[in-house]
Every structure is written in structure tokens, then in C-alpha cells.
Amino acid sequence: MTYKSIIPLVLLIALSSCKSQLVEKKVTPKPKNVILLIGDGTGLSQVSSAFFFKETSPNYARFKTIGLIKTSSSREDITDSAAGATAFAAGIKTYNGAVGVADDSTAVKNLVEIVSTQNIKTGVISTSSIQHATPASFYAHAINRGLYEDIAADMVTSEIDFFAGGGSKFFNKRKDGRNLLVDLQNKGFKIDTTALGSFEDIKQQSKMGYLLASNHLNPTAKGRGDYLSKATELGIQFLNKEPDNSFFMMVEGSQVDWGGHANDADYLISELIDFDDAIGKALDFAERDGNTLVIVTADHETGGFTLASTPKKTESGETYSSYKEITGTFSTKGHSATLVPVFAYGPGSEAFSGVYENTEIFHKILKVTNWIDKN
Ligand code: MG
Ligand code: ZN
């Protein structure tokens, strides 16, 4: 072998060893924490409204990874929030009205149950009662979403570490006369029914629960203000107070859906903007932390909401559609079957691109975190 022919050979060996090192180093990073934000009833037009009606840049614009999910339930083309949240929380398709139970009404393990055996902290936040279908699906099992007192009892036996929402009456004004707030306190909870505190106020507590309404909280425009953003920040601080621990937190913008049902565009858009503010708090933390996966999605779309052109008349009385002015219009008082978007940020986020079933949200979370059920 000549000297000249050896050089390319040496180069080739050097290059191939470099290449194998690169391949070995390309391990997918596992997120330590997961924050799942569910905008109830938030389809693409609802999300788009932030781009036209929010005065600052929407936090939705901060995501690079986008997917779409199919939301049908086991028996219906159009899901309700119970089957929709159970798909996220337990990874199964079930019937409308089912909270944490399968199509045959048997209880199915949810994310909170799976991860809390692994010393992972958990929290749920909503602007509805905490027993309403979406938050309930993360800690309760009920064959019918209307069994609010049974769902409240499941909070006592769950391993949740932090919650904020409404629904105090299902704990302390019950048909069976029990006061489950006492049971929660016996389990280590501090319960506050007055207002969100500061992190300094609560950091010594092992578990913290806020119940700030007898049933649902008010709309943001009617007194709730920035509760959802503040609760999101506080929940993150509380669940992350021992930074070696992982946490999973679900945050629901519950009332975007109610604006849709009411066919009230102002209500819907103000709730959507409020939810977008909470998304911003989760993303701010995830950016600082570098180890947190943020997923934003919806259980379904509500109202068949459209950012439509506005019917106008010319001076001579001819009707036309003005493209200079948006009118929020609706096609139904109920939900719709349209695919809904998924936004993901942080380590593991790439797994959330594509078009897939809503149940995959659960499976993808467990896969990218390696929080697989070890029991
Ligand atoms: Mg809901
Ligand atoms: Zn609804």
C-alpha cells in the first residue's frame, strides 16, 4: 500500500468512528416534568381568535411542534368532555359521560395513579368545579359524570398533591352529611376556600387544595380575573419545590367550552385569551427549566365556531361579506367532530407532531417520560 492510498483509508476510519459516536450520542432527551393544558372546546378557530383579538402576541405562537387529534369517543362521532378527558388521562376510548372508566364501565388506571407510585408529584387545576368531567378524569372513576359527590370522594383517596378549582359544596354540603374537607385535611391537605395564596404561604405544606367557589368559578370577565395564570404558576412552584422530584400537572381552561355552548363569542374569546395567558406561564417555566414538556390541546371543539366575514350592505342596499371585520359565528349549541390541534414544547415534544387519536396523548406522555406503569 502506498503512502497516498493510506491517507484516505485513515480518514475513512476517523470519519466512521466520528459518525458512530454521533449516533450513540443522539439519545432522545426525557422530560422530567409534564404540564398538560386542556382548553375545553378549543378548536382551531378558538385558537385563531387569540391572533386577532389578543392585544399581545399569543403564547400559542411560541410552539414549533404541532399535531392534530381525532376526538371521537367509543360510541359517538362527537365526544363529550368526560370521554375526551378519559382518553388523555387513561389512554382509552370510552362512552360519552364516562369518567375514568372503560366502555364496559370498569375503572381504568389514570396518569395520576400510574405516576404517583413512582414518587412523581401531581396536580389538577380548572376554572370549573374540580369534580367537573375534565379534571375529574385525572383522579376519579365514575360511570356517569354527574356523580359529583362520588367524584369528590375519589379526590380524598387519590394521590393528588395540589389542586385548584371550584366545587366546595361537593365536599362539605353532601347528601350523606359527611364533610370530606376534614378527610382531605387528615390526608395532609391544607384547604383554602378564600383565595390563592403566595408560594411563601404554602411551601411548608405537603399537599395543598384551593376550592374557590361552591360550584364553578366565575367567568374571567366577571370576577375570576387572572386566577388561571396565578394558579398555574403557584401549582408549578408547589409541585417543583423539591426540584429532584418530577411532576405532572393538568391545567384546564374549562369555560372556553361554555362560551361555545352559549354561542357567545365575547365569552369564548375572553376565556381563550385567559387560557393563553396560563399557557404563557407554563412555557415561561419550561424555558427556564429546560426539562419540562408542555402539551396544549383540547378535548373537542364547541359551537362550530368560525371567524367569519361580516355581512354588510352597500349604500345602494346590496349585501356583501366584508373581509375587513371578523364576526364570531356558530353552527351548533353543542360540540363538533372537527380534529383539534396539539401544541408541544420541550424535550419529547417531537413525538406530538402528526395526526393521531386523542388516546395517543396518554401513551406518548408515558413513552417520552418513561413513566410506564411498573405495577
Ligand atoms: Mg371541561
Ligand atoms: Zn361542552
Side-chain angles (χ1 to χ4, degrees):
M1 199 178 271
T2 65
Y3 177 68
K4 269 188 183 169
S5 66
I6 286 173
I7 294 173
L9 188 67
V10 170
L11 264 175
L12 192 71
I13 291 166
L15 273 173
S16 63
S17 68
C18 266
K19 198 181 166 198
S20 68
Q21 269 182 345
L22 280 176
V23 170
E24 274 165 32
K25 273 187 186 162
K26 206 183 167 231
V27 179
T28 315
K30 284 190 189 6
K32 187 168 130 326
N33 313 307
V34 176
I35 306 172
L36 172 64
L37 297 108
I38 302 173
D40 198 316
T42 302
L44 194 51
S45 288
Q46 281 83 348
V47 172
S48 305
S49 70
F51 290 77
F52 292 97
F53 296 102
K54 191 171 184 180
E55 281 165 7
T56 54
S57 177
N59 291 298
Y60 277 107
R62 294 165 67 180
F63 294 92
K64 302 269 185 297
T65 303
I66 318 292
L68 288 171
I69 49 171
K70 300 185 262 180
T71 64
S72 297
S73 58
S74 64
R75 300 182 196 176
E76 292 93 353
D77 287 336
I78 301 174
T79 190
D80 81 326
S81 294
T86 300
F88 299 148
I92 51 139
K93 293 276 185 184
T94 190
Y95 59 91
N96 287 357
V99 170
V101 300
D103 192 67
D104 63 2
S105 298
T106 56
V108 185
K109 248 189 208 181
N110 57 49
L111 262 171
V112 166
E113 287 162 336
I114 291 168
V115 305
S116 47
T117 63
Q118 303 172 44
N119 201 26
I120 294 165
K121 302 285 179 196
T122 56
V124 289
I125 296 171
S126 68
T127 63
S128 63
S129 77
I130 204 73
Q131 300 85 0
H132 212 243
T134 313
S137 299
F138 287 83
Y139 65 85
H141 305 280
I143 56 165
N144 180 330
R145 59 184 286 172
L147 299 168
Y148 296 119
E149 294 190 356
D150 294 349
I151 290 169
D154 279 358
M155 175 63 93
V156 178
T157 54
S158 87
E159 294 299 321
I160 295 261
D161 299 288
F162 179 94
F163 67 83
S168 60
K169 69 176 181 178
F170 302 114
F171 289 109
N172 65 3
K173 295 201 167 54
R174 298 166 57 87
K175 288 191 204 86
D176 63 12
R178 292 171 63 198
N179 183 353
L180 297 188
L181 295 185
V182 173
D183 298 54
L184 284 171
Q185 279 152 11
N186 290 339
K187 247 203 114 169
F189 270 99
K190 181 179 178 188
I191 301 295
D192 192 327
T193 57
T194 59
L196 292 175
S198 71
F199 177 57
E200 284 301 310
D201 295 339
I202 65 166
K203 67 180 183 189
Q204 304 301 335
Q205 306 299 330
S206 59
K207 290 174 182 267
M208 189 66 218
Y210 290 99
L211 290 167
L212 303 183
S214 170
N215 194 5
H216 306 306
L217 275 74
N218 285 330
T220 184
K222 291 181 180 167
R224 195 180 78 234
D226 61 356
Y227 151 87
L228 191 61
S229 289
K230 287 212 167 111
T232 301
E233 265 187 315
L234 191 59
I236 291 169
Q237 286 177 301
F238 190 79
L239 296 173
N240 195 50
K241 64 182 175 163
E242 286 139 24
D244 288 345
N245 279 357
S246 292
F247 70 83
F248 168 78
M249 185 166 84
M250 192 289 296
V251 178
E252 186 199 21
S254 317
Q255 300 192 24
V256 183
D257 176 63
W258 303 350
H261 283 294
N263 284 189
D264 181 337
D266 291 341
Y267 184 12
L268 185 162
I269 292 167
S270 60
E271 290 296 331
L272 188 283
I273 289 171
D274 176 66
F275 181 59
D276 185 75
D277 289 338
I279 293 170
K281 299 299 180 192
L283 285 176
D284 290 348
F285 171 76
E287 281 176 2
R288 288 196 305 273
D289 179 66
N291 223 343
T292 298
L293 170 64
V294 177
I295 306 154
V296 181
T297 188
D299 45 1
H300 52 74
E301 194 277 341
T302 305
F305 183 57
T306 305
L307 298 173
S309 57
T310 302
K312 296 256 176 176
K313 278 192 176 149
T314 62
E315 278 174 22
S316 58
E318 280 175 78
T319 55
Y320 72 102
S321 291
S322 169
Y323 287 3
K324 289 183 176 169
E325 194 181 321
I326 291 168
T327 300
T329 61
F330 297 88
S331 64
T332 172
K333 295 262 182 188
H335 300 170
S336 76
T338 183
L339 275 63
V340 295
V342 181
F343 301 82
Y345 174 89
S349 57
E350 299 78 11
F352 293 83
S353 68
V355 181
Y356 48 93
E357 294 288 348
N358 55 0
T359 48
E360 286 302 307
I361 297 283
F362 168 90
H363 297 292
K364 287 175 192 292
I365 289 172
L366 291 189
K367 191 168 178 216
V368 301
T369 53
N370 201 29
W371 292 345
I372 43 167
D373 192 359
K374 282 143 192 155
N375 294 303

